[in-house]
């Protein structure tokens, strides 16, 4: 899985959803809630092209996950983490 888990992870999605999540987080003062669901993937690289190669359905924009607790390497694709 290429080293220790990073301090930040990234979840890529379409631009509209990313903006909605970001606006909600700014208003509530929380980390992205969409990434709190079990089974949601995140990548250690802030790169939309790598995210697409890793299986992201949409890669127009992303949210930053500052709280990486509960994310474990998926064990298949390097740099991909899954919320357990």
């Amino acid at each position: 899985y290429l080293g220790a888990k990073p301090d930040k992870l990234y979840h890529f999605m379409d631009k509209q959803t990313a903006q909605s999540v970001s606006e909600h987080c700014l208003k509530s003062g929380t980390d992205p809630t969409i990434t709190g669901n079990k089974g949601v993937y995140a990548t250690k690289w802030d790169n939309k092209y790598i995210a697409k190669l890793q299986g992201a359905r949409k890669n127009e924009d992303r949210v930053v996950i500052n709280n990486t607790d509960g994310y474990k390497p998926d064990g298949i694709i390097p740099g991909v983490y899954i919320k357990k």
Side-chain angles (χ1 to χ4, degrees):
Y1 71 99
L2 302 179
K5 182 170 60 171
D7 294 334
K8 292 181 182 177
L9 293 170
Y10 305 91
H11 181 76
F12 284 82
M13 60 190 67
D14 66 273
K15 192 170 194 83
Q16 184 178 7
T17 303
Q19 287 174 342
S20 293
V21 170
S22 295
E23 288 172 11
H24 170 77
C25 293
L26 283 174
K27 288 178 185 174
S28 65
T30 61
D31 237 12
T33 55
I34 194 167
T35 58
N37 299 327
K38 288 184 178 182
V40 170
Y41 94 96
T43 180
K44 69 186 277 179
W45 291 292
D46 186 9
N47 184 297
K48 69 180 188 175
Y49 302 108
I50 291 174
K52 194 68 169 175
L53 290 171
Q54 292 174 326
R57 286 180 273 170
K58 303 275 185 167
N59 68 339
E60 297 168 1
D61 206 349
R62 50 87 174 125
V63 293
V64 178
I65 303 165
N66 292 307
N67 181 0
T68 61
D69 293 343
Y71 283 87
K72 305 288 183 204
D74 83 335
I76 300 169
I77 303 171
V80 172
Y81 292 79
I82 300 292
K83 181 76 172 187
K84 297 289 183 177

